[in-house]
Amino acid sequence: MKKVSIAVLLLGTIGIAAQEQEEKGKQIEDIIIVGNRNVKRTKLETPVPVDVINIEKIQKASPQITVQDLLNYVIPSFNSVRQSASDGTEHIDPVTLRGMGPDQVLVLVNGKRRHTTSLVNYQNTVGNGSVGTDLSTIPVIAIEKIEVLRDGAAAQYGSDAIAGVINIILKKNAGASASITYGLSGRNDGDTYQAGVNYGASLGKKEGYVNLSLQLSHRGKTTRTQNHDLDIFGNNFAYPFADDPEAARAADDEEIRKRGLTRDDFNFQIGDAQIKQAQLFFNSEYPFNDHFKLYSFGGFSIKEGKGYGFRRLPSETFNVVSSLYPNGFQAELGSQVYDISYAVGAKYNVNNWLFDVSNTFGNNTFNYNVSNTNNASLGAKSPTRFYAGAHSFLQNTLNLDVSKNINRFNIAFGGEFRFEQYQIKSGDPASYTQYDVNGNVAGTGSTVIGAGGSQSFIGFSPDNALKKDRHSTAVYADISYDLDKKLNIDAAARFENYSDFGNTLNGKLAVRYEFLKNYAVRAAVGTGFRAPSLQQQYFNNSYADISTSGSTIVTKGIFNNDSKAAQVLGFDKLKQETSVNGSLGFTLKPAKGLFITLDGYIIKVKDRIVITSNITDSRLSDPDVVGVGKEVESGRFFANAIDTETKGVDLVISYDWKLGGGNLNVNLAGNYTETKITDFHFPENLGTPQNEFFGPDQINIIETLSPKTKASLGLNYGIGKFNFLVRNTYFGKVIRDGYPFGSVQEFSPKVITDVSVGYDITKNINFTVGANNVFDVFPDRQIYENSYYGVFKYAPVQMGTLGSYFFGRLNFNF
């Protein structure tokens, strides 16, 4: 199997009004920061592809309101799809670049490494087994622009930069701006409110500044399911499997009537989770003189989400306390995610030597609260709300960077020391404990009346709780050479030592040559690595899932690599992924206002870290191996299990044209990606067949679950006080493998149309109305075998399951 992803995405939306044409021209020639330490280059002069996205202009006209949703429509190969019924993953959208994992793209803020989330994706979604960065924690109102380096850069920036780098640059301008957005789906749900304000002021007499941003947002839940086929009160899991399906359904209908209910009272809540968020960010710099300045930036974000687990039917007597929930229940998973970041640094410039010393701190904490559920082993004494525990991740990075421009050369070198800490905190005892009939903690041979722990999401126990840390030290050097914008050469090397797995040395060479005026060829080759995250090394829990037989809900487990279970089954300690990147491309400027870039690439990753399929092994039900009361039907483990190869090509075309007294901007940008697994690495003494170790569903996630084709053509026309946007995005074929319970299904291509009309009420006030997916297009309905007996009407693939979305927005500048 292999993965093919073609993405043709809108690079940028520019041209808000005719009078901004001059400013747009300057945007095309934006100076870039990411990718090299030569601050004199524009994005067309770099030896590797870099997109520069003016967020303020794009957000002004686009229906999307979060960073990840905006980038999903403007960056080649960038993908982000909301998930449903997937525990914590539906509260933090996984994002990918060039078909790689969420943990293989590095995120920077103002050029400094940003911390990842503490959440591990393990619900068989895109990015399964990975840990990404939560882009939604950064308010759009605080961002000036985003640079996206589409090339491996581990030799420059260290771990995680295998697929590329996203550098978010915060605003530093003086003045004030504000934005208010309201939106609603075509089904009158998923209501969206967002209000943001940004204020900047000058500091001192030497171009110092302080810039503050506050943003509040709300996204309502959506419901995208259908009447299910489940046997609500009987003993069969679904009517088609009953001896007499019609009689089984009739019996349920009679019982429903007696209880004064309807079938709708037993529907599942499937769709987007509800999200509320508040964010406060700042960015500042104060120059004491021409040589010395201090700077600081950071922010705080609190996100509260409410998602939903699998519904428990009244017939599931082992999971449901009938006296509490005579009609069963669908548990609500509430999240409280706190994200804090803070950077402080100093720059000193003397004789063209620039010294930059900084410390960057970040922390992400994810708290779980489960409500509308029960601990069935407690019977009628069970609580219905539980604190299920939390996990957190802390990162502190100390950097020293030195650079100097000497004639045509720019040399840079420096060092980095990084400390990381991961922690799991246990929840309320009732959220994880199974009790016996006497109300005591169940042990071997105990008599129990029901399943233990908070159903739908079992809390973290003291056995899961831990606190682990590590540190790394790195030194780097790079040099760049520019010859009258005709020849550009970059070379970089980085040595890094990790306290938990050892050393790694990586290098990169990139060249750009302009063989004719405005026509250039560029190429790069380099090695890279990604250190196993602490989350992948130490995350462990028990969770509820469908049994191997597919007939009931059972408890399964994820075991960390320090566990006795991992040792007994023969799993090795995690080590770093290693990669080799190569690229070859062209940049063309054949006519005034026309810009074209075309870049091909290959990425080979060895010892890629993934989470295994559910391994059924009798040793996982042995209390001497997993602990008393911790026996599970099957287990999953993180392992360096596969090697992959990714090939692809990026295309970006932008054309500005004066038309009819206005300005038309045409944007076409694209990515073609093919990923395949080239080798597997199994523990020698495990004795588990491949379908259990890394099954077809897991191969599907790596190779074919992301869109194979994605194409977008954007037209933005500004004339007078009006601005018009039309953008058609083509999401190509996706394949989903429902193994072990379902079948392979192909989802046909879809076209999504975004439109908006903006009007400048005054010089400082703009009003925009429009729609995302104006024609209300959905992915194909899932085949019955993959839909959990008809419950999951749509799979969250391609563009998601929101449908049409209409919005209005007021923008203010003061």
Side-chain angles (χ1 to χ4, degrees), residues 7 114 124 130 133 165 174 188 218 266 272 298 338 345 362-363 400 423 427 463 485 591 630 634 641 776 791:
R114 183 162 178 85
N124 289 343
S130 66
T133 300
V165 179
N188 295 318
H218 164 90
F266 298 93
D272 294 343
Y338 299 95
N363 179 265
L400 172 63
Q423 185 173 9
D463 291 335
K485 298 186 178 182
K630 303 302 177 184
S634 61
D776 197 35
V791 171

Side-chain angles (χ1 to χ4, degrees), residues 383-530:
T384 58
R385 300 179 63 90
F386 302 83
Y387 170 65
H391 44 66
S392 64
F393 177 68
L394 178 152
Q395 177 180 282
N396 192 82
T397 307
L398 179 65
N399 287 99
L400 172 63
D401 302 300
V402 182
S403 62
K404 181 178 178 64
N405 192 276
I406 306 173
N407 297 325
R408 296 187 174 95
F409 289 91
N410 190 88
I411 60 173
F413 57 90
E416 177 178 289
F417 177 82
R418 186 163 71 251
F419 173 82
E420 297 175 335
Q421 184 179 87
Y422 177 61
Q423 185 173 9
I424 297 177
K425 299 178 182 178
S426 59
D428 299 332
S431 74
Y432 56 79
T433 304
Q434 184 169 49
Y435 298 90
D436 63 20
V437 292
N438 298 314
N440 299 316
V441 177
T444 303
S446 297
T447 301
V448 298
I449 61 173
S454 48
Q455 289 303 292
S456 181
F457 187 91
I458 299 174
F460 296 108
S461 74
D463 291 335
N464 300 128
L466 49 78
K467 181 186 287 187
K468 299 290 184 178
D469 59 59
R470 71 173 174 199
H471 61 269
S472 64
T473 305
V475 292
Y476 78 88
D478 66 38
I479 184 170
S480 63
Y481 173 78
D482 294 336
L483 178 61
D484 299 328
K485 298 186 178 182
K486 297 293 184 182
L487 176 65
N488 312 104
I489 302 175
D490 287 347
R494 185 183 184 97
F495 174 82
E496 195 147 355
N497 174 269
Y498 280 77
S499 60
D500 52 353
F501 71 80
N503 304 327
T504 177
L505 176 64
N506 294 279
K508 181 176 180 178
L509 177 65
V511 179
R512 174 187 176 274
Y513 177 63
E514 188 173 297
F515 54 92
L516 292 174
K517 185 177 181 180
N518 296 326
Y519 293 80
V521 61
R522 58 189 181 187
V525 62
T527 62
F529 79 102
R530 190 186 73 79

Side-chain angles (χ1 to χ4, degrees), residues 695-736:
D697 54 332
Q698 301 304 313
I699 295 173
N700 167 230
I701 291 172
I702 297 291
E703 295 187 337
T704 58
L705 191 56
S706 295
K708 289 190 173 186
T709 56
K710 192 176 178 183
S712 180
L713 175 64
L715 305 175
N716 194 305
Y717 184 64
I719 182 168
K721 295 184 176 183
F722 286 93
N723 185 79
F724 304 90
L725 170 67
V726 178
R727 178 170 57 204
N728 283 297
T729 305
Y730 173 88
F731 291 85
K733 180 177 70 175
V734 169
I735 297 174
R736 183 173 183 268

Side-chain angles (χ1 to χ4, degrees), residues 213-323:
S213 300
L214 173 66
Q215 185 168 288
L216 306 174
S217 58
H218 164 90
R219 186 188 80 195
K221 72 174 185 178
T222 63
T223 301
R224 300 291 182 267
T225 188
Q226 60 187 15
N227 289 331
H228 51 74
D229 224 0
L230 299 181
D231 193 345
I232 300 171
F233 295 101
N235 296 318
N236 300 290
F237 210 52
Y239 297 126
F241 301 97
D243 294 335
D244 188 340
E246 292 186 6
R249 188 182 291 273
D252 270 354
D253 286 339
E254 177 64 18
E255 183 64 29
I256 291 171
R257 184 189 65 78
K258 287 181 180 179
R259 300 192 183 201
L261 304 171
T262 69
R263 281 197 171 270
D264 288 342
D265 293 309
F266 298 93
N267 278 342
F268 281 57
Q269 165 60 44
I270 303 295
D272 294 343
Q274 174 185 288
I275 300 292
K276 297 179 180 179
Q277 194 164 16
Q279 301 153 300
L280 179 64
F281 262 62
F282 75 97
N283 186 28
S284 63
E285 185 173 280
Y286 184 79
F288 287 87
N289 51 50
D290 292 336
H291 302 286
F292 181 71
K293 65 179 67 173
L294 293 177
Y295 63 87
S296 184
F297 59 88
F300 173 76
S301 168
I302 179 171
K303 179 193 295 186
E304 294 185 349
K306 184 168 71 173
Y308 297 84
F310 270 66
R311 202 184 201 288
R312 270 41 172 189
L313 299 172
S315 58
E316 298 178 57
T317 55
F318 192 70
N319 299 315
V320 178
V321 179
S322 59
S323 60

